[in-house]
Amino acid sequence: MKYRIYLSILAAVVVVSVFAGCGGGSSTGNQTQTGGTGLIKIDGSSTLFPVTEAVAEEFQKEKQGKVQVTVGISGTGGGFKKFTRGEIDVANASRPILKEEMEQARANGVEYIELPVAFDALTVVVHPQNDWVNSLTVEELKKVWEPAAQGKIMTWNQIRPEFPNEKVALFGAGADSGTFDYFTEATVGKAKSSRGDYTGSEDDNVLVQGIEGNKFALGYLPFAYYEPHKERMKAVSIQWDKNKVKEPVMPSLENVLAGTYNPLSRPLFIYVNKKSLEKPEVREFVEFYLKNASVLAKEVKYLPLPEKAYEMAMQRLTEMKTGTGFGGVSEVGLPIEEILNRQPKS
């Protein structure tokens, strides 16, 4: 499968229907929901979209047009809103489910299984003509992005005196994005705590275009949206005083796996509605996802989990262990096996 470069999605609520390849036939939402045929509804994180889209495409090819999978991109928060109302079968998430979302699911009788499926390296990027910054500290990122910076930290030389006296054009995730939650937790120290005077979007392609078009841009986005554009933007290495490596570390799949790119490396999740697993096609899809994510994640420039993690996730699915291992709050820098060894709670 060739690596895909995704076009900008004009509305966050758009649903992308992924059909099997040429000659695979078509399917409709009116098909029977038994016997492994029918419709599977997925929505949520734009970060995880490339992986889930790749899995959905391959799954539909295997099912020879008998199953239709729709994959929406309304952001992690938007996906959870639909998921906790029981409107979709699977939620893509670039952060764990939050306390208020857990309460909403409980109120609507929605039980869910939390399954990590891949890693991401959140990447801080600048325009390629930026020749004054190669690295930033987490404290400098906090200085730029914390709420107190709004209307005050406006130029590059306010970040570091030797930087030019030019206005910083900021680009980052929209408030419904799990990327927004994770980045603010990792840099500012509190999820959703951010200045508001920046260009924000749940569609990472919008951020890519903005950063590529402004010499004085500074932004953050998932690694898989940086990778295909790395000739037209520059990644910044990150220095974190709590890291075991004292030198600035570049975002890379290798550094994520080595545990040195902190605190901006993170696991990505799918959440599966327990009731939806009564439909054979949904169970088959989730099992297919866990069995093939390691290969398909690499194809779309994501880092797969260690094989043992997929085995542990499959066991969690088999045993129908519902709930989350995070207790409704985001945490950064956790090893994947620790996440899966935790007893999930609803």
Side-chain angles (χ1 to χ4, degrees):
M1 184 195 308
K2 294 182 178 179
Y3 176 67
R4 311 163 186 78
I5 298 177
Y6 298 98
L7 299 177
S8 179
I9 308 298
L10 296 178
V13 296
V14 71
V15 173
V16 181
S17 293
V18 187
F19 294 95
C22 297
S26 63
S27 58
T28 71
N30 294 324
Q31 285 179 301
T32 176
Q33 298 287 318
T34 61
T37 64
L39 175 66
I40 301 171
K41 295 181 181 179
I42 306 171
D43 204 339
S45 169
S46 63
T47 303
L48 189 54
F49 171 78
V51 181
T52 300
E53 192 267 355
V55 173
E57 184 177 283
E58 293 304 309
F59 178 72
Q60 289 177 121
K61 287 178 181 178
E62 184 174 277
K63 300 302 290 184
Q64 298 181 334
K66 294 178 181 179
V67 177
Q68 177 187 345
V69 184
T70 62
V71 186
I73 316 177
S74 57
T76 297
F80 272 134
K81 287 175 185 176
K82 296 178 182 180
F83 183 75
T84 57
R85 292 195 296 257
E87 296 173 4
I88 58 176
D89 302 299
V90 178
N92 284 334
S94 57
R95 55 138 173 95
I97 191 169
L98 299 179
K99 187 174 181 180
E100 58 268 28
E101 294 160 344
M102 294 169 66
E103 291 171 352
Q104 188 66 37
R106 196 157 42 238
N108 291 325
V110 174
E111 296 182 273
Y112 49 86
I113 299 173
E114 177 183 79
L115 301 169
V117 292
F119 279 125
D120 178 38
L122 268 180
T123 305
V124 177
V125 290
V126 295
H127 192 275
Q129 292 180 15
N130 182 323
D131 58 4
W132 58 90
V133 58
N134 293 309
S135 68
L136 289 169
T137 68
V138 172
E139 280 301 311
E140 287 170 331
L141 291 175
K142 179 180 180 180
K143 182 179 181 180
V144 172
W145 288 99
E146 66 183 345
Q150 182 163 330
K152 295 180 180 178
I153 305 301
M154 306 297 290
T155 60
W156 275 99
N157 65 346
Q158 289 177 290
I159 303 172
R160 201 181 290 178
E162 60 265 33
F163 292 167
N165 185 19
E166 297 284 353
K167 186 175 180 180
V168 182
L170 294 173
F171 297 86
D176 255 348
S177 170
T179 298
F180 174 78
D181 295 343
Y182 195 92
F183 182 83
T184 50
E185 176 77 31
T187 58
V188 179
K190 182 180 178 182
K192 300 184 182 295
S193 180
S194 174
R195 68 190 295 166
D197 55 341
Y198 71 97
T199 300
S201 178
E202 282 77 21
D203 182 357
D204 294 297
N205 291 290
V206 172
L207 306 180
V208 167
Q209 293 167 10
I211 294 160
E212 288 178 349
N214 192 315
K215 181 179 178 180
F216 300 103
L218 172 66
Y220 63 91
L221 40 72
F223 183 81
Y225 286 85
Y226 156 73
E227 176 69 20
H229 301 87
K230 62 185 178 183
E231 302 302 320
R232 291 179 283 166
M233 60 175 63
K234 184 173 80 170
V236 175
S237 59
I238 302 301
Q239 186 170 359
W240 191 39
D241 59 4
K242 297 179 183 178
N243 206 354
K244 62 184 180 182
V245 179
K246 298 304 179 183
E247 296 299 317
V249 179
M250 283 295 289
S252 72
L253 303 183
E254 292 76 18
N255 288 340
V256 170
L257 191 59
T260 58
Y261 186 68
N262 285 316
L264 296 180
S265 61
R266 57 177 177 164
L268 306 173
F269 304 86
I270 59 171
Y271 285 77
V272 187
N273 187 320
K274 181 181 177 183
K275 186 172 179 59
S276 294
L277 288 169
E278 295 173 6
K279 298 186 287 185
E281 65 271 24
V282 175
R283 177 171 284 278
E284 289 170 12
F285 173 78
V286 176
E287 290 176 349
F288 183 89
Y289 203 130
L290 295 177
K291 290 175 182 176
N292 293 276
S294 60
V295 173
L296 295 175
K298 287 180 182 177
E299 290 192 4
V300 290
K301 309 303 180 186
Y302 280 70
L303 182 65
L305 306 178
E307 197 58 41
K308 184 178 178 182
Y310 289 115
E311 293 171 2
M312 294 171 71
M314 187 69 80
Q315 183 177 356
R316 178 177 287 187
L317 175 67
T318 301
E319 296 175 359
M320 300 289 277
K321 288 186 176 179
T322 59
T324 173
F326 290 84
V329 295
S330 294
E331 298 178 65
V332 299
L334 290 178
I336 194 67
E337 289 186 20
E338 179 181 334
I339 294 171
L340 286 163
N341 276 323
R342 290 180 174 184
Q343 187 63 34
K345 297 180 180 179
S346 299

